[in-house]
Structure formats: C-alpha cells, structure tokens
Amino acid sequence: MTGLERFSINQMTVKQLSLPELADACAGLGIRNVGLWREPVRSYGLEATAALVRDAGLTVTTLCRGGFLTAVDPAQRAAALADNRRAVDEAAALGTDTLVLVSGGLPAGSRDLHGARERIADALAELGPYAERHGVRLAIEPLHPMYAADRCVVSTLAQALDLAERFPARQVGVTVDTYHIWWDDRAPGQIARAGAAGRIHTFQLADWTTPLPEGVLDGRGQIGDGAVDMREWRAYVETAGYTGPIEVELFNDGLWARDGREVLAETAARFVEHVME
Amino acid sequence: MTGLERFSINQMTVKQLSLPELADACAGLGIRNVGLWREPVRSYGLEATAALVRDAGLTVTTLCRGGFLTAVDPAQRAAALADNRRAVDEAAALGTDTLVLVSGGLPAGSRDLHGARERIADALAELGPYAERHGVRLAIEPLHPMYAADRCVVSTLAQALDLAERFPARQVGVTVDTYHIWWDDRAPGQIARAGAAGRIHTFQLADWTTPLPEGVLDGRGQIGDGAVDMREWRAYVETAGYTGPIEVELFNDGLWARDGREVLAETAARFVEHVME
C-alpha cells in the first residue's frame, strides 16, 4: 500500500496481536513504524522487543506511557518518579526518542486542579534532565476534559504547553492527539505555538464517535468514522513544521473483537484515504 | 432550612415529582425558586403550571430549554426557529426572564464545527430581538466538550461569550454551569468577562463524578459528591457581580430512582453545606 511512509500503528489499536504477529503484519502491509506500550513490551521482554523491532526494520515512534505525577503522598510521588525513570530507560532501550506522558488525575478527595498541575511541573523538573541524558523527550499529552478528574488534569494543548515551556524543548514537548483536542477552537493556534518552539513531539489520530461507552475509555473511533476532519488537523501540524510520523492509536472494543490483521489493514487503508490523500 | 434564599431546584433533578408534588415539597422545605423544563410543563399545561407556581409563591428562575440551532436544511432551520419562538412565549407565560439554550451538535455527517457555530449566530440574530420583545433573555449554555459532536458545539464559556457578544446583553448572555466548565482554567477569567458585561443570565450547579455512564448524559453528581469546589465557583460568579439564584440541575439515574422528596431535601441540605456555608 502506498501512502504509508509516515503511518505508525500504535500497538493498542491492535492489542489482540502479539508483538511478533504485529511485526509480521506490518511487514506484509509495508508499515514501517510502530508505537509501543510498556505493559506488552514488558510481557514480551524489553530486550526481546528491541531485537524484534530492530530485526523487522521497524521504527519505534513512541513509547506509551509515563506520567501519573499528581500524587501528594511523598512515597507515592517517589514511586511515580522511579517508574517514570524506568519508562525513560525502556524508551531508550527500544530506540525511540519519545515517551508519552499522561499526567494523572486528582488525588482521591482532592478538588485542586491547579495544585495537581503544579505537582506535574515539579516532577518534570526532575524527569526532564534525566530523559535528556538518555536521548528521550517527554511528550505531555493533554487528554479530553472528560478525563480531568480521574486520569489527566491537563485538558488542553494550551495547558500542556504552559507546562512544557518551563523546560527546554529537547526535554519536554507535547502530544497532539485529535481525539482529545478536536473540539477546541484554540487548538490550531496552540499547535502553531508548539510547532514554532519545536515541541510537537508526536502526532496521534483517533476519530470521535458517539455514543460514548460507559467509562469513556474504549470508544475511540476508527479513522473516518466520526466527527474529526483528519486532513484539517494534519494541515495544522504540517503548517507548524511537523513532518514526522503520524500514529493511529485507537482504544475500541469493537476493533479489539475483530481479527487483528484485518483491523491493521483497515486502519492503514483509512489512514491513506482520510489523512494522506 | 436556612441558607436557601438563593437556592433554585431545577425540575430535572427530581423529575419523579409531578409539578404539584414539587410545589408542595418546596413549600415544606422553604424553597422559593424552581427551574422548569418545557416537556413536563407542556404535559401539565402551560397555563396550569403558571397558575400553580404563582399560587405557590414560587419564582421560576429559568426555562430549559431552547436551542438546537445547527441544522443546515432550510426546513429544519425554520422549524427550529419556530420552536424557539414558542419557547420564548412559554418562558414569558411562566414569568421567567431566562431561557436556557443548548445550541445543538453537528448535523449528521458534518465535521464543520465552525460552520455550526456560525449558524447559531445567525439564529440568535433572529431570536434575540423576539426574546427581548417578550421580556426574555437567551442564555447560551456551553456544554462539556464531550457533547460537542452530538449535542452542543459550544464547548467553553469563551465560545459562548464570543457568540453572545455579537448581541446586546439584554438579548443574549450565558449559562454558567459548573458541570460543563469546572475543568477549564480559562473559565474564571471568562466568568469575569461575562459578569462585566451583565451576561451571566443564570448560574447552575452539578458535581463531576466518575465513572461516567454510557452515553454520558445521566451521570451528573449530587453536590459535594465529586471533583468540583462549589464555593470556589460561587466566589467567581459573585466577584463578577452575579447575585441571583443558584440552580441545582442534576441528571442522575441514581437520584431519579429514589423518593423525590427525599432527594429534594438532600439536595437543599447539600446546597447549604457545600455552596453557602
């Protein structure tokens, strides 16, 4: 299939495939890039995964994910920082320069969004230099505001950039993911802001479909099925200077119930049709 | 119960109560204000409802709701405008000066948020003067971004004010509802903007609780159960000059399954505890 040079398949989109199955399916379709997740990588083995993708000629575009940096309790904070340093190490071992960060929600019983965001900044001050020493950039991912309480208090690109800009771009930037920002009329301007500073560390796609499922985690739509104009968002990041991989990351019970190779082929075709053509 | 002078119970919070039951329960608790919805008012009869609330000494703080103004099809647009003029008439008949507007989502197959927002502005240009002639103000309600596709393309107070400010404040203002804006770090500044222009036409409360239910419509939390600091938001609107009624509007399957009078008493007590004290 042509038009896939910049396509990257995030492993979660086809989590029913093992890593060797994913590598094999990518080879069959001419897919050169993958985004990986820490849990399946650990299950298969970090070194084994690194060898597998290297032998398959695959580029690892991102590792998902670090973060969850909003705890108040000192022991929990120390554990989170240690876990994020391990995530940096894993990213480096896999040969990717980008670690996606999901910042974390409000601690139980807290109503202090501002304080939680400041604790993220404190954590980044420790993690940024560590990541830089390992050749890894941290990519703060604003998550849709519907996750603000329980998953990520960073809800907009503007908030993510307000945090990132306290640090050098080689340490901290942002993840631009259509699923989380498509509704935001300020997002195009924030993409320009991010691009001008070299802070678009990864660009991810998912479509917005309704009704949302209970818990709102696993309803990310296949490209082309929903409300997001993919070409428009691609144009925003490209105008801002981003020419890197474009990762499709879908959490979708319907896709997960199907044959993974079929879903991968469909996703690649949708990418060509709705993003690149 | 003291501390209820500014409390208004939105009828949807206790939709299991008939209008006479609601009026009776309000009298028993010393509640002076209600927010009404068009459908139950129509079922009971517009004139009968107006007489009921008048005889009970209740003030109708808002009528919910007009809106759904994003259709492209001319016949659908004409029908929506006609329905909104009827909603204005109903508000006037009930003696309330505020009609809440939920703007509408994307038309089927559309991905054009900007165009949809412009069609809302076009409709307001027709409806604003009509409302003013009837002594009614339109209150654009930004809904949480999770409703942007299927219910309301106006997702932030800033967007709502961008629309409202094209018209006189006596015609068009905004609804400030904690459920929809609590995550937004720009919202306090936008409340100040709205207050300075006399455009806070109503202030509504619901708490944010997770996990969200399927469809994300009926998961609005009881005051005090969730992530929203109610006193903080009350301070924002009061600092901005708003001293009017504070309406509690909950859509919650759990509350609807309980005895309505018990839920009303609980809601009034939560209001005093978490908002006023």
Side-chain angles (χ1 to χ4, degrees):
Chain A
M1 203 180 299
T2 60
L4 292 178
E5 295 75 13
R6 296 174 61 196
F7 176 67
S8 177
I9 183 69
N10 185 287
Q11 162 170 40
M12 278 295 272
T13 306
V14 286
K15 71 173 184 180
Q16 60 272 56
L17 295 181
S18 70
L19 276 161
E21 287 169 344
L22 177 62
D24 184 63
C26 285
L29 291 161
I31 296 168
R32 305 172 180 182
N33 307 297
V34 292
L36 298 181
W37 277 66
R38 296 179 69 197
E39 294 74 9
V41 166
R42 262 198 306 249
S43 296
Y44 189 72
L46 179 62
E47 294 309 324
T49 304
L52 178 77
V53 295
R54 195 170 51 237
D55 294 347
L58 286 165
T59 297
V60 181
T61 51
T62 63
L63 180 64
C64 300
R65 61 196 180 181
F68 296 92
L69 300 168
T70 53
V72 173
D73 175 72
Q76 284 180 29
R77 285 189 65 70
L81 287 169
D83 185 59
N84 276 273
R85 284 189 290 267
R86 278 193 299 274
V88 168
D89 299 343
E90 292 162 20
L94 294 166
T96 179
D97 63 359
T98 304
L99 176 66
V100 174
L101 297 188
V102 171
S103 298
L106 290 170
S110 170
R111 294 177 172 129
D112 181 11
L113 286 170
H114 177 76
R117 290 174 187 141
E118 286 305 308
R119 290 193 295 281
I120 296 164
D122 292 345
L124 292 172
E126 297 196 34
L127 293 172
Y130 182 86
E132 185 182 3
R133 285 196 298 277
H134 291 77
V136 174
R137 307 172 306 174
L138 307 175
I140 304 172
E141 181 166 20
L143 255 54
H144 193 284
M146 68 187 176
Y147 302 115
D150 55 358
R151 191 158 295 261
C152 185
V153 296
V154 179
S155 301
T156 63
L157 263 183
Q159 292 172 351
L161 285 164
D162 288 347
L163 281 168
E165 287 176 354
R166 302 190 196 186
F167 310 97
R170 63 184 182 277
Q171 290 182 4
V172 187
V174 297
T175 297
V176 176
D177 185 322
T178 57
Y179 189 76
H180 299 299
I181 63 168
W182 75 279
W183 57 271
D184 184 0
D185 58 348
R186 293 179 79 214
Q190 297 300 311
I191 288 173
R193 172 185 170 194
R199 292 187 195 269
I200 303 178
H201 287 353
T202 177
F203 178 41
Q204 300 184 329
L205 308 181
D207 214 334
W208 183 271
T209 52
T210 56
L212 294 167
E214 183 181 358
V216 301
L217 281 177
D218 301 331
R220 300 196 194 181
Q222 176 62 280
I223 307 304
D225 280 353
V228 181
D229 186 331
M230 296 293 166
R231 265 180 288 270
E232 183 181 334
W233 291 97
R234 177 186 155 214
Y236 291 138
V237 299
E238 294 188 353
T239 302
Y242 181 84
T243 56
I246 305 174
E247 203 171 300
V248 177
E249 184 189 46
L250 311 177
F251 301 178
N252 186 304
D253 289 324
L255 296 179
W256 289 335
R258 290 167 51 193
D259 176 76
R261 289 171 183 268
E262 180 191 301
V263 171
L264 183 59
E266 175 186 285
T267 304
R270 293 293 188 94
F271 177 84
V272 173
E273 179 186 354
H274 292 277
V275 184
M276 298 310 288
E277 278 179 357
Chain B
M1 204 180 297
T2 58
L4 292 178
E5 294 76 12
R6 294 174 62 197
F7 176 68
S8 177
I9 183 70
N10 185 286
Q11 161 169 41
M12 278 296 272
T13 307
V14 286
K15 71 172 184 179
Q16 61 271 56
L17 296 180
S18 70
L19 275 161
E21 287 169 346
L22 177 62
D24 184 63
C26 284
L29 290 161
I31 296 167
R32 305 172 181 183
N33 308 297
V34 293
L36 298 180
W37 276 66
R38 295 178 71 196
E39 293 73 9
V41 165
R42 263 198 306 251
S43 297
Y44 189 71
L46 179 62
E47 293 310 322
T49 304
L52 178 77
V53 296
R54 194 170 52 237
D55 294 347
L58 286 166
T59 297
V60 181
T61 50
T62 64
L63 180 65
C64 300
R65 59 190 183 186
F68 296 92
L69 300 167
T70 53
V72 173
D73 175 74
Q76 285 180 29
R77 284 190 65 71
L81 287 169
D83 185 59
N84 275 273
R85 283 189 290 268
R86 279 193 298 274
V88 168
D89 299 343
E90 292 162 19
L94 293 167
T96 180
D97 63 358
T98 304
L99 175 66
V100 174
L101 297 189
V102 171
S103 299
L106 290 170
S110 170
R111 295 177 173 129
D112 181 10
L113 286 170
H114 177 76
R117 290 173 187 143
E118 286 305 308
R119 289 193 295 281
I120 296 164
D122 292 345
L124 292 172
E126 296 196 34
L127 294 172
Y130 182 86
E132 185 182 4
R133 285 197 297 276
H134 291 76
V136 174
R137 308 172 305 175
L138 307 175
I140 303 172
E141 181 165 21
L143 256 55
H144 192 284
M146 68 187 176
Y147 302 116
D150 55 357
R151 191 157 294 260
C152 184
V153 296
V154 179
S155 301
T156 62
L157 263 183
Q159 291 172 352
L161 284 165
D162 288 347
L163 281 168
E165 287 176 354
R166 302 190 197 186
F167 309 97
R170 63 184 183 276
Q171 290 182 4
V172 186
V174 297
T175 296
V176 176
D177 185 321
T178 57
Y179 189 75
H180 300 300
I181 64 169
W182 75 276
W183 57 272
D184 183 1
D185 59 346
R186 294 179 80 214
Q190 297 300 311
I191 287 174
R193 172 184 168 194
R199 292 187 195 269
I200 302 177
H201 287 353
T202 177
F203 178 40
Q204 299 184 330
L205 307 180
D207 214 334
W208 182 271
T209 52
T210 56
L212 295 166
E214 183 182 358
V216 301
L217 281 177
D218 301 331
R220 300 195 194 182
Q222 176 62 280
I223 306 304
D225 280 352
V228 181
D229 186 331
M230 295 293 166
R231 266 180 288 269
E232 183 182 336
W233 291 97
R234 177 185 155 215
Y236 291 137
V237 300
E238 294 189 353
T239 302
Y242 182 84
T243 56
I246 305 174
E247 204 171 301
V248 176
E249 183 188 47
L250 311 178
F251 299 178
N252 185 306
D253 288 325
L255 296 178
W256 289 335
R258 291 168 50 193
D259 176 77
R261 288 171 184 267
E262 179 191 301
V263 172
L264 182 59
E266 175 185 285
T267 304
R270 293 293 188 95
F271 177 85
V272 172
E273 179 186 354
H274 292 278
V275 184
M276 298 310 289
E277 277 178 358

